[in-house]
Amino acid sequence: MDQSNSAVRKRRRTSARDSLALLALAAPGVVWFVVFAYGPMVGLVVAFKNFNIRDGIFGSPWNGLANFRYFLSSGDAFTIVANTLFLNTLFLSASLFVGLLLALMLNEIRGQFYRRFMQSTIFFPYFVSPIVISLMLQAILSGVGGRGGMINDMLNVFDLPQLSWYTTPGAWPWILAIVKVWQLGGYTSVIFLAAITSISEEVYEAAAIDGASRARMAISITTPLLLPTMGILIVLGVGRIFFGDFATIYAIVQDNGILFPTTDVIDTYVFDPLRTIGNFGTTAARSACSSPSSALSSSPRPFSSSVASKRKRHPVSTLDYTSPIPPGPSPDTVAARALPRRRRKLKGASEPFTVVSYAGVTLFGLFCLIPLWMIVVGSLTDESVLARTGYSFWPQPFSFRAYEMLFSGQSLFGGYAASLFITIVGTALSVYCTASLAWVIARRLALVSRPLTIFSYIPMLFHGGLVPLYLLVTQVLSLSNSWFAVILPIMMAPFLVFVAVSFFRALPEEVIDAARIDGAGELRIFFQIVLPLSKPILAVLALFYAVTYWNEWFMPLLFLSDPDRYPLQLILQNLISNVTNAAALPGATAAQAAAPVYQLRFAMTVLTIGPILLAYPFAQRFFVKGITLGATKG
């Protein structure tokens, strides 16, 4: 009896120790969600107050719904909400359509090397920052020194009238949609490709025996089986339909009031008065309008039932639709299916759909590469030649003046130091917090996993808005002019937490059970077994977070006031905003006021995206493997 009681007490001590270890693993992520996800939600009380800095959030007097009445009676409310809905719907539908089309065409490409090269090419724009996109658009639409830009140069060749794009608001919803297709088309295609590789091969073999062409297979087999995956992406997109893509829209439009009637969305509308008049109460009221609407527009329960019905109609698919990203097979299967499906007896390699697929993917690849190449050429071309003859596909003559100016000053090296610190420290913190919280959720503990799942999911639907976040960082945490003011607010992404959860749940339980039988505790299992087995998903998390930190410019714009602490993206943004003043570059001398401004902007862009260009070929293969495995059905 004594031995039995001793064994029970030992098991209880072990269980309590393991529970404490799991809570310790989840604690950093939980603290972040409490402070930076739920904290700004509490700060929404500012929308109901006549806020002033002296009295603070809770000391300021209440004014009821006065801020909302002011916003709704301003005459802008309907236009802003309509713009937000229309632009987000346009972005979502265009990126899904192009991503699906690219996935179908990539699936028909037989050459393994060419397929991987094109997949890497069309995926790279996803990692280009909004500031760089803004500069590319200016080069394409407005040119240098008053010239019309590349588009107008082409119109001139065909004797067509040139357009003043930046004074034509009606064209900008479609221009922004093209930008989002350029940026998200490759990313969306990778998600669809991961789902395509899980479709049973026997279905295609049966269709080939019946004489179906490749086009017929794509239309009648592949596309219907991808509808549940598209449904997931639509629900995720609709859930954020009231959250305007602030970073991209504001970086491109800037303060061009002519374009506001068609491009001003809730987030940009909120930021403008915060920056100019500092009316926190009215600004918070404007921001508060987006969260409840987004929550009402996304209901996971009806979506789950509709997905279940789709799974019954398509039993050949092994997709796990409870995962945020559609699943894929093992790495060996992915590698095997990257090669042509030799078992299909089709009508020949020159079938029209195959030819169209090669042509379509190649054209989209050029569409992704040409703007980047033009920036490189512009940085090496003398500015007087750019102003006189416009852009070319090769720099004539070569000019390194812009690079010499950048390397002769201190601002470039200071910007690199700031960006490297923010990226390295931020990525390390983000990967650890995301992985540790995801592992605790993946353990499927009754009293822990489900509450943490709901706790992590709510911020995907609700957010406190810009004003409470600004007050939290500057007034409560006193992090103004600190690099941690850039790192902490974006340190975790709920979506990536669920991607990591689906990966961890696919790990072999036998290995975990064997370690537990050998006496390993939860901390040892996580650090010595789980993390070494999770290199693909850790690479995905590191890549996503590193690119996010490297490209971040809005948080530095909000919280950094010392030019010596500016990261590269903010230096570039200031250089773009002050196109006629080369002295806008921090540390520039008076003698540099006549610098080649456009060439400087192009050179700064090249130096900004250079590290991503160098690291991307090595990280991309881990990304594809990780995002596929991260959604494997467990």
Side-chain angles (χ1 to χ4, degrees), residues 18-19 22-23 439-452 505 516 522:
D18 290 343
S19 299
L22 289 173
L23 290 176
W439 171 245
V440 176
I441 295 175
R443 295 282 287 108
R444 289 193 174 99
L445 301 177
L447 299 178
V448 177
S449 297
R450 187 170 182 82
L452 282 180
R505 285 180 175 171
R516 192 172 290 109
E522 291 293 339

Side-chain angles (χ1 to χ4, degrees), residues 86-128:
F86 176 70
L87 288 176
N88 283 336
T89 302
L90 185 62
F91 297 164
L92 179 62
S93 57
S95 60
L96 284 178
F97 175 76
V98 174
L100 175 62
L101 196 60
L102 285 172
L104 294 175
M105 292 190 293
L106 281 169
N107 192 50
E108 297 302 319
I109 292 179
R110 299 191 172 197
Q112 184 178 8
F113 173 80
Y114 187 72
R115 172 176 172 161
R116 288 180 176 175
F117 173 77
M118 294 309 302
Q119 187 171 321
S120 301
T121 299
I122 66 177
F123 190 79
F124 180 75
Y126 181 76
F127 299 111
V128 176

Side-chain angles (χ1 to χ4, degrees), residues 474-614:
T474 58
Q475 302 297 315
V476 180
L477 301 178
S478 299
L479 291 175
S480 296
N481 211 32
S482 167
W483 284 331
F484 283 99
V486 179
I487 294 173
L488 294 179
I490 57 174
M491 196 177 77
M492 293 186 70
F495 175 75
L496 291 181
V497 171
F498 290 110
V499 173
V501 167
S502 61
F503 180 93
F504 288 143
R505 285 180 175 171
L507 293 176
E509 286 289 340
E510 295 79 6
V511 178
I512 310 299
D513 293 338
R516 192 172 290 109
I517 291 173
D518 290 339
E522 291 293 339
L523 291 178
R524 186 176 181 183
I525 289 173
F526 178 71
F527 286 105
Q528 296 187 3
I529 297 177
V530 174
L531 291 185
L533 291 175
S534 305
K535 291 179 181 178
I537 197 64
L538 295 179
V540 171
L541 298 178
L543 179 61
F544 266 109
Y545 283 123
V547 171
T548 298
Y549 284 117
W550 186 266
N551 288 337
E552 182 60 38
W553 66 274
F554 181 59
M555 293 299 167
L557 178 66
L558 278 181
F559 302 123
L560 300 183
S561 58
D562 185 359
D564 293 334
R565 290 181 170 270
Y566 286 178
L568 285 174
Q569 298 292 341
L570 187 55
I571 295 175
L572 178 61
Q573 197 271 341
N574 288 339
L575 193 61
I576 292 174
S577 300
N578 300 276
V579 295
T580 61
N581 185 12
L585 195 66
T589 63
Q592 292 174 322
V597 178
Y598 288 94
Q599 191 182 3
L600 264 177
R601 291 161 60 188
F602 296 147
M604 190 68 187
T605 301
V606 172
L607 294 176
T608 300
I609 65 176
I612 298 177
L613 280 171
L614 294 176

Side-chain angles (χ1 to χ4, degrees), residues 66 119 146 163 173 197 227 268 271 345 425 458 473 564 569-570 578:
Q119 187 171 321
L163 294 176
T197 55
L227 291 180
T268 57
F271 176 67
K345 301 182 181 297
V425 174
I458 289 175
V473 174
D564 293 334
Q569 298 292 341
L570 187 55
N578 300 276

Side-chain angles (χ1 to χ4, degrees), residues 111-380:
Q112 184 178 8
F113 173 80
Y114 187 72
R115 172 176 172 161
R116 288 180 176 175
F117 173 77
M118 294 309 302
Q119 187 171 321
S120 301
T121 299
I122 66 177
F123 190 79
F124 180 75
Y126 181 76
F127 299 111
V128 176
S129 74
I131 298 298
V132 174
I133 293 174
S134 171
L135 182 59
M136 291 190 300
L137 263 186
Q138 289 183 18
I140 293 172
L141 299 179
S142 66
V144 174
R147 289 185 54 85
M150 286 185 283
I151 299 296
N152 280 331
D153 287 344
M154 288 189 290
L155 293 175
N156 191 43
V157 171
F158 296 99
D159 293 327
L160 296 174
Q162 297 188 5
L163 294 176
S164 179
W165 297 100
Y166 283 88
T167 59
T168 310
W172 276 89
W174 312 106
I175 293 174
L176 292 174
I178 294 173
V179 169
K180 298 306 292 185
V181 166
W182 183 84
Q183 190 178 27
L184 297 179
Y187 169 78
T188 310
S189 71
V190 170
I191 296 177
F192 282 123
L193 276 173
I196 288 175
T197 55
S198 70
I199 298 176
S200 175
E201 183 73 23
E202 287 74 14
V203 181
Y204 293 102
E205 291 179 349
I209 293 173
D210 291 340
S213 64
R214 287 180 179 266
R216 175 57 63 184
M217 290 182 183
I219 295 173
S220 301
I221 298 177
T222 309
T223 301
L225 292 178
L226 291 179
L227 291 180
T229 302
M230 183 177 290
I232 294 174
L233 297 177
I234 290 174
V235 168
L236 291 175
V238 170
R240 298 187 62 83
I241 200 165
F242 279 91
F243 299 165
D245 189 356
F246 174 85
T248 301
I249 294 177
Y250 183 78
I252 291 173
V253 176
Q254 296 285 335
D255 295 319
N256 188 349
I258 298 176
L259 304 182
F260 285 174
T262 58
T263 62
D264 209 8
V265 295
I266 293 176
D267 289 349
T268 57
Y269 189 68
V270 164
F271 176 67
D272 186 61
L274 177 65
R275 183 186 57 165
T276 54
I277 62 177
N279 190 334
F280 291 94
T282 304
T283 306
R286 297 176 180 183
S287 180
C289 294
S290 64
S291 290
S293 304
S294 294
L296 292 174
S297 66
S298 178
S299 176
R301 184 172 298 276
F303 168 67
S304 300
S305 61
S306 65
V307 165
S309 64
K310 287 181 173 61
R311 294 186 66 180
K312 293 176 182 178
R313 290 197 297 268
H314 303 291
V316 296
S317 176
T318 60
L319 298 177
D320 181 8
Y321 301 117
T322 62
S323 176
I325 288 184
S330 66
D332 295 335
T333 307
V334 172
R337 292 185 180 180
L339 296 172
R341 292 186 169 105
R342 301 183 181 281
R343 287 181 289 174
R344 298 188 200 169
K345 301 182 181 297
L346 300 178
K347 295 182 179 180
S350 60
E351 189 171 332
F353 186 62
T354 303
V355 176
V356 170
S357 297
Y358 273 92
V361 170
T362 302
L363 289 175
F364 194 85
L366 292 174
F367 171 65
C368 293
L369 286 178
I370 287 177
L372 295 171
W373 176 248
M374 300 307 294
I375 294 297
V376 175
V377 172
S379 71
L380 295 170

